[in-house]
Amino acid sequence: MAEPSVRRRTDCRLCAGSELELVLALTPTPPANAFVPPAERDKPQPVFPLDLFLCKSCFHLQMLDVVDPRLLFENYVYVSGTSPVFVRHFQDYAAELIRRYKPAPGALALDIGSNDGTLLRFFKEAGLAVLGIDPARSIAEAATQAGIETAVGFFTPEFAERLRSERGPATIVTANNVFAHIDDLAGVVRGVRSLLAPAGIFAFEVSYLADVVEKTLFDTIYHEHLSYHSVRPLIRFFAAHGMELIEAQRIPSHGGSLRGIAQLRGGPWKAGPSVGEALALEERLGLDKAESFRAFGRDIDRVKAELRRVLQGFKAAGKSIAGFGAPAKATTLMYHFGIGPEIVDFIVDDSPLKQGLLTPGMHIPVLGSSALAERHPDYLIVLAWNFAQSIMAKHGAYRAAGGHFVVPLPEIELI
Ligand SMILES: [Zn+2]
């Protein structure tokens, strides 16, 4: 594999402003999903900065270092249809958009970053014409074979124009869990604007900065996530592209997300109260102030110091420690907290795709959960800490046999 390449942009991703202030610098990491086979154990992986900058013009919080997206997404292995919670979520989401915005039968719905077509399947069942676009070739081809036509690639203004000339305008365009991942957001929104029918809507779901700050979700900061969205900068961004944001609803996905809905400027839909409510919340949290993010960084470092003290105490007492969960966010957490192979012997993960591999950069082995009974570590750090309750419930046998869970965030808990 070629060395990952990275470039640093010098202007704001949303407003092109050039006054950007560094407000949070986490420890540099390799790409968070760059798990490696054991044969590459001794090959060092390059690390890239995890620096967040606040735009002083529109207050968008963002990463300026952009790792080559082909490296991050073309071999993407996450398949949304494998999670019943997400399937149900997309089912409700499709139903709500149809109920509110009443697309005509046969109208076109396009999903950007459509993954395995889970959302589009529900639009199709409701009588809409559907098309997906996704850069992960194997997932896109499997979706097409399963009856959800999916183009392989990235959504660009050129793709949008070609699609419009071939199939006419789209009534619904969606983009879920991708709006934080795309460097050229202006290009995406230009494409959406040229593709939308006059009464069409653009709906997107994205991790919400208010939740990141309120719930200390700092480990959602990794290279795939270039933008940390809040409503205030997005209002201005859409307006600059001839569109208007009409909804900004908070939803529980990924620890706290935003469902934004935009229409063409002067479109027929009325804006709901959710936009104003989000603006008030952001004002209260100070999301337009550099100091708010500096305080956030101090909170993270306080937890880090405490956790390291606890773990080093266990090691000094001769105890063994393993980790539970190897999601992308664990890379950020382990690097920033300095939890490496000298502390953690191995990590257990339920995904067969990760078992047998080594974690990005630190090269800690990822094993199946049978390793808990075989090796019985004294302590288990729950790296997928946002799922701590279900993990502890599922692995009650480990605790019954004398094991202990360490939940690192939002506050350290020993169970
Ligand atoms: Zn800006």
Side-chain angles (χ1 to χ4, degrees):
M1 193 167 70
E3 291 285 288
S5 59
V6 66
R7 65 184 175 79
R8 173 167 280 196
R9 61 183 294 152
T10 54
D11 63 341
C12 171
R13 185 166 289 113
L14 291 191
C15 78
S18 56
E19 245 193 290
L20 297 149
E21 184 175 355
L22 177 64
V23 293
L24 182 64
L26 299 179
T27 307
T29 73
N33 277 311
F35 290 82
V36 298
E40 292 175 26
R41 181 184 304 276
D42 297 327
K43 193 172 147 197
Q45 287 172 273
V47 297
F48 304 111
L50 280 183
D51 293 346
L52 293 191
F53 293 81
L54 185 67
C55 172
K56 297 180 98 166
S57 174
C58 79
F59 308 109
H60 178 47
L61 184 71
Q62 59 203 291
M63 206 175 292
L64 296 176
D65 295 281
V66 180
V67 177
D68 188 342
R70 286 170 303 180
L71 214 113
L72 298 178
F73 302 115
E74 281 183 350
N75 297 309
Y76 209 50
V77 292
Y78 183 79
V79 181
S80 48
T82 54
S83 159
V85 176
F86 282 119
V87 174
R88 179 63 204 268
H89 170 77
F90 282 137
Q91 183 173 19
D92 294 345
Y93 184 13
E96 192 191 322
L97 292 182
I98 288 168
R99 182 179 59 75
R100 277 189 178 220
Y101 300 105
K102 304 174 181 60
L108 177 63
L110 173 80
D111 190 21
I112 301 168
S114 52
N115 196 268
D116 63 352
T118 300
L119 175 63
L120 288 176
R121 180 159 292 114
F122 294 114
F123 285 134
K124 189 176 177 180
E125 283 171 13
L128 302 188
V130 299
L131 178 69
I133 177 164
D134 199 289
R137 178 171 294 276
S138 62
I139 295 175
E141 287 174 353
T144 298
Q145 274 171 19
I148 303 297
E149 184 187 351
T150 304
V152 180
F154 293 96
F155 180 81
T156 59
E158 297 72 37
F159 175 87
E161 282 182 14
R162 201 169 64 242
L163 182 61
R164 186 174 177 125
S165 69
E166 287 170 7
R167 303 215 189 171
T171 298
I172 296 178
V173 178
T174 49
N176 305 303
N177 307 313
V178 295
F179 220 49
H181 299 60
I182 297 170
D183 186 31
D184 183 17
L185 279 180
V188 168
V189 170
R190 278 204 314 277
V192 168
R193 185 188 54 194
S194 72
L195 186 59
L196 272 186
I201 52 126
F202 173 53
F204 60 96
E205 290 187 349
V206 71
S207 175
Y208 187 29
L209 179 58
D211 290 292
V212 172
V213 170
E214 277 189 316
K215 301 173 191 164
T216 329
L217 306 174
F218 86 94
D219 48 0
T220 59
I221 299 168
Y222 49 85
H223 299 105
E224 290 174 12
H225 295 161
L226 295 167
S227 287
Y228 298 82
H229 285 294
S230 54
V231 170
R232 185 175 172 186
L234 283 171
I235 291 173
R236 177 171 156 182
F237 173 66
F238 281 110
H241 291 277
M243 296 183 69
E244 56 184 319
L245 188 70
I246 54 173
E247 292 288 349
Q249 303 156 351
R250 296 184 78 179
I251 53 167
S253 310
H254 302 288
S257 297
L258 190 68
R259 176 181 297 166
I261 297 177
Q263 65 178 350
L264 298 178
R265 183 184 294 141
W269 308 108
K270 267 181 42 187
S274 59
V275 176
E277 287 162 11
L279 285 175
L281 171 68
E282 292 171 13
E283 170 92 37
R284 200 164 71 240
L285 292 174
L287 299 189
D288 56 348
K289 293 184 179 59
E291 173 50 27
S292 307
F293 300 105
R294 297 218 163 87
F296 180 53
R298 289 193 294 274
D299 286 344
I300 296 165
D301 287 342
R302 179 181 50 76
V303 176
K304 169 185 177 171
E306 272 176 45
L307 183 66
R308 287 187 57 80
R309 185 178 53 73
V310 167
L311 297 179
Q312 280 161 350
F314 295 158
K315 289 308 267 190
K319 305 293 186 189
S320 60
I321 305 174
F324 197 101
K329 62 172 63 183
T331 301
T332 299
L333 191 151
M334 294 174 77
Y335 267 81
H336 192 66
F337 282 1
I339 301 173
E342 68 292 341
I343 293 177
V344 172
D345 300 329
F346 62 94
I347 292 175
V348 168
D349 194 282
D350 288 329
S351 166
L353 293 168
K354 291 178 180 168
Q355 292 166 11
L357 298 177
L358 306 174
T359 62
M362 290 179 166
H363 296 173
I364 298 169
V366 181
L367 307 174
S369 55
S370 61
L372 289 183
E374 287 153 17
R375 299 176 58 169
H376 203 82
D378 296 307
Y379 292 92
L380 200 51
I381 309 173
V382 184
L383 298 166
W385 59 273
N386 49 329
F387 297 115
Q389 291 306 327
S390 62
I391 289 168
M392 292 189 293
K394 188 172 169 190
H395 296 281
Y398 163 74
R399 194 162 163 248
H404 300 277
F405 291 101
V406 182
V407 182
L409 285 161
E411 297 290 336
I412 298 167
E413 267 186 278
L414 294 181
I415 293 154

